[in-house]
Amino acid sequence: MTKPWIRVAVALSGAVLSGCTAELESANSAIPGGGASGGESGMAPPGAPPNTPPGAPPSSGGTGGAPGAVPPAVSGGAPSSAGAPPSGAGAPTTTAVTGRVGLAARISKVEYANSVADVLGTTLTAAELDATTGGIPDDAGDGVFKHIADKQTSIEQHALSYFQVAEGVVKRVDVAALTKSLGCSQATAECGGKAIAALGRRLYRRPLTQRESDAMLAVFNAAVAEQLDFAGAMRWTLQALLQSPQFLFRMDEETRGTAGQARDLTPQELAARLASFIWVSVPDEALLARAEDGSLTQPDVLESEVQRLLADPKAQRLTRAFVADFSRARYASFEGVTDADRLALDESIAATFQDHLWTQKGSIASLFTTTRFVVNPRVAELLGMQMPGSGLMPVDVGQLPQRVGLLAHPGMIAGMGDRGTGSFVNRGKYLMERLLCRNPGAVPAGLLTELETFNSNTTGFNEHERAAVRKTRAECWGCHTQFEPFAFGFSRFDGAGRYVGEQDAAGKPLPLDGWVPLPGKAEAASPKYTDFASYMQILADEPVIQTCMTEHFIAFATARTSDDQAKLEAERVGEKYLAGGSTLGAMVSAVVQSQLFRTIVPLPAVSAENPGPQP
């Protein structure tokens, strides 16, 4: 029989999740570019998982290119010369970074798993991470990063899965090892209170309030009343802690301070944000101690903690989670793809990203020109290479056709969401979002019939021929010019990232003479390329592209969609990143110092006069 306290805990979690759903969905509807971006089809690509958003790709050397060296109007996405700007475009409306209001950030599936491992020493099983077997649902959202707080939705399965996963996790927890340092293991309120304070402090990312402690102690005492020993009572309590909103959501004190005036994060808020960014987890004891003694807000102490966290192997979770969403290799949908293929692509692209930034100490810009990939046998096969043995191996792909930069990795190309021949539309939108931090507007309803006619009339055309037809039609090219040229240079790769040669299957040429469609520049004024290497060098050198990469790190760090303030802040962060040596550590340090990371704009306190949003 389900214990009454468990039913209460589930109801509490469900109420909070359901309550936040309306708020988050309302926020989503107001996000520029938050919906489907339009394209050749409103359906998710074949082979994409059920959660893939319709209209989107499936969940879609040298330091050159100074991030931040971009005038605000360009960085913010100035309107294209072809007409109306894409959603999210236009020069920033703010002249200074003023901060953002608080937003409850439901922790991602990855952050949940990492937090449980770090605090309780327990690894989640594959079933607990698989929504189809009752595990935690996949993180939602149609932006680059799935864990972005203001693009999340919460569904009923979250509450149920958190209950079921917590129930399984606590059975595997070594309670004696967790509580050994307390010097107290009797089934008494005193021992229970000590354990709750110690473990709850880690899971809640701060000390518990008296009310929170009393609530958890009531659970512990109820278990003791059922004749459970200390370990059994703690399992009950841990199950409640793992379902509590204070653990499942990373929340700022949104009404603390003067409403509308930015304030610095409290030390505890800063510690929680720092651990979530760098470790994708909760703070450890040392970080909590710096928060509790108030020293974390001192610049030298904060920088010291950043460096300490970066020196820990757990910091590689940052780049692992970043590239998993940035590439979307795990959602590859090419013809004949298997789950093993997706795992291999995801593993290799992550290992390449990690190797470049951590082992090689490469810059963000040089990601676009590297020829060092870390491959496994399946990826080696897609590259047309012979690989001895199994596992992962670094290789130089510089002698292979068109293999320059991370974007030429099969994991990136497969993540663009093509089943067969690469669609310029799918690939262009995918690349526009990642390289310009912009999204095209949705297809106007009045053009949907013409779109169907176009698709029918160009059957048998290759992508270059289809683009040539679109270019003759102002109603098409006025939008497509913003993103489609990004895909021209990828025409010699199929949906799996294989190199197909200089001609398509019908013997038609696949030229590599294209341009990079920068905001505010017409085709004639845009940077041109005649081969893939020169294309990638443009991306490495172009300040607009590198500033967008900085925006991505700000978005990842703050769990918020990029906006006008982020575009302005990216310029300052980029300058500090370059001054710090253009390394990953320099990027992280610069982001942590930014105002968007360190501040919050309080909301008015809820009162009888100001009851807050009503259902």
Side-chain angles (χ1 to χ4, degrees):
M1 178 180 295
T2 303
K3 300 292 189 295
W5 72 265
I6 294 179
R7 293 200 297 271
V8 171
V10 173
L12 178 60
S13 296
V16 173
L17 288 167
S18 298
C20 285
T21 298
E23 176 184 350
L24 294 174
E25 288 180 343
S26 175
N28 286 349
S29 67
I31 295 170
S37 301
E40 295 176 304
S41 171
M43 301 295 292
N51 288 340
T52 301
S59 308
S60 117
T63 62
V70 189
V74 175
S75 176
S80 76
S81 59
S87 56
T93 56
T94 55
T95 57
V97 175
T98 57
R100 293 162 167 162
V101 298
L103 180 68
R106 175 172 55 77
I107 61 175
S108 67
K109 179 187 292 192
V110 173
E111 190 166 347
Y112 181 103
N114 289 339
S115 301
V116 168
D118 291 347
V119 179
L120 304 182
T122 304
T123 302
L124 266 62
T125 65
E128 289 167 344
L129 291 170
D130 186 349
T132 64
T133 59
I136 302 172
D138 292 334
D139 296 310
D142 60 355
V144 172
F145 301 109
K146 291 297 188 179
H147 79 294
I148 293 288
D150 54 10
K151 289 209 170 190
Q152 287 177 349
T153 55
S154 296
I155 59 177
E156 290 81 357
Q157 189 180 340
H158 278 98
L160 179 59
S161 66
Y162 287 142
F163 165 65
Q164 294 173 333
V165 170
E167 186 176 40
V169 164
V170 300
K171 292 177 182 177
R172 306 193 299 274
V173 168
D174 186 342
V175 174
L178 278 180
T179 57
K180 183 178 180 181
S181 63
L182 300 177
C184 183
S185 58
Q186 290 77 46
T188 64
E190 180 183 2
C191 290
K194 287 183 178 180
I196 289 167
L199 295 173
R201 172 171 166 268
R202 291 289 310 282
L203 291 170
Y204 283 16
R205 308 163 191 87
R206 56 167 175 76
L208 275 65
T209 65
Q210 188 62 52
R211 181 179 180 182
E212 292 164 344
S213 296
D214 291 346
M216 290 301 155
L217 187 57
V219 174
F220 180 89
N221 290 336
V224 172
E226 293 284 336
Q227 306 302 311
L228 272 68
D229 61 9
F230 174 79
M234 277 309 303
R235 293 186 200 281
W236 275 38
T237 310
L238 286 171
Q239 191 168 353
L241 284 167
L242 291 177
Q243 294 176 81
S244 63
Q246 294 91 329
F247 167 61
L248 296 172
F249 289 82
R250 181 165 53 81
M251 293 178 277
D252 301 320
E253 296 183 62
E254 60 186 23
T255 60
R256 176 176 179 147
T258 303
Q261 296 183 17
R263 67 163 176 84
D264 289 340
L265 296 176
T266 67
Q268 285 82 9
E269 290 169 337
L270 184 56
R273 189 171 291 189
L274 199 62
S276 180
F277 174 30
I278 302 178
W279 282 354
V280 196
S281 185
V282 294
D284 65 353
E285 287 293 337
L287 185 55
L288 285 173
R290 297 290 78 75
E292 288 165 10
D293 67 19
S295 64
L296 185 61
T297 56
Q298 299 172 14
D300 58 335
V301 175
L302 176 59
E303 179 60 21
S304 176
E305 283 301 290
V306 167
Q307 297 307 317
R308 183 181 69 83
L309 267 60
L310 284 170
D312 191 289
K314 291 196 290 288
Q316 294 198 23
R317 295 169 176 171
L318 183 170
T319 40
R320 180 66 182 90
F322 186 103
V323 76
D325 282 346
F326 190 81
S327 72
R328 297 189 181 180
R330 67 190 188 280
Y331 298 117
S333 57
F334 58 86
E335 184 72 41
V337 67
T338 65
D339 287 342
D341 290 334
R342 296 186 180 102
L343 288 172
L345 288 163
D346 180 62
E347 176 189 53
S348 175
I349 192 72
T352 300
F353 195 72
Q354 303 277 48
D355 176 73
H356 180 84
L357 293 176
W358 292 101
T359 305
Q360 306 302 315
K361 306 296 183 185
S363 68
I364 308 300
S366 61
L367 278 167
F368 292 98
T369 56
T370 183
T371 58
R372 179 182 167 100
F373 290 179
V374 181
V375 305
N376 50 38
R378 178 56 174 143
V379 170
E381 180 185 350
L382 293 172
L383 289 169
M385 299 175 59
Q386 293 274 331
M387 178 178 167
S390 58
L392 290 165
M393 178 184 299
V395 297
D396 185 351
V397 298
Q399 300 306 310
L400 298 176
Q402 316 301 320
R403 299 297 178 179
V404 177
L406 190 74
L407 293 181
H409 188 289
M412 288 295 300
I413 298 171
M416 296 179 188
D418 295 303
R419 187 168 178 81
T421 302
S423 159
F424 281 1
V425 173
N426 279 351
R427 291 179 172 183
K429 291 189 298 179
Y430 173 99
L431 291 164
M432 181 185 187
E433 186 175 42
R434 281 152 183 75
L435 300 179
L436 293 182
C437 295
R438 292 153 47 107
N439 297 99
V443 178
L447 291 181
L448 292 177
T449 300
E450 290 191 39
L451 181 61
E452 293 179 4
T453 302
F454 173 88
N455 288 337
S456 175
N457 290 343
T458 57
T459 300
F461 285 31
N462 68 24
E463 288 299 298
H464 281 286
E465 292 171 325
R466 289 162 69 88
V469 174
R470 277 191 285 264
K471 198 171 180 181
T472 65
R473 302 176 62 174
E475 69 275 21
C476 297
W477 198 242
C479 174
H480 283 249
T481 189
Q482 305 167 61
F483 58 89
E484 197 168 334
F486 275 122
F488 290 0
F490 289 84
S491 62
R492 294 179 182 176
F493 298 110
D494 69 6
R498 303 181 189 91
Y499 180 70
V500 299
E502 298 180 7
Q503 298 178 333
D504 65 13
K508 299 174 183 177
L510 299 172
L512 281 185
D513 49 344
W515 71 96
V516 177
L518 297 178
K521 288 190 177 182
E523 177 183 344
S526 298
K528 307 295 194 302
Y529 60 86
T530 56
D531 57 60
F532 197 81
S534 61
Y535 179 15
M536 293 300 105
Q537 191 63 56
I538 291 170
L539 300 184
D541 293 340
E542 177 52 56
V544 173
I545 306 298
Q546 297 308 312
T547 298
C548 175
M549 294 300 294
T550 306
E551 278 188 57
H552 288 316
F553 276 94
I554 293 173
F556 186 94
T558 60
R560 302 291 287 267
T561 304
S562 188
D563 56 15
D564 287 345
Q565 293 194 76
K567 293 179 187 303
L568 288 171
E569 191 73 340
E571 298 175 38
R572 288 181 274 272
V573 169
E575 291 171 0
K576 291 181 179 179
Y577 157 73
L578 291 176
S582 304
T583 63
L584 174 66
M587 176 64 80
V588 171
S589 181
V591 169
V592 169
Q593 294 174 40
S594 71
Q595 185 171 344
L596 289 182
F597 188 89
R598 293 185 296 102
T599 66
I600 181 178
V601 177
L603 295 168
V606 175
S607 63
E609 294 75 24
N610 176 39
Q614 300 300 302

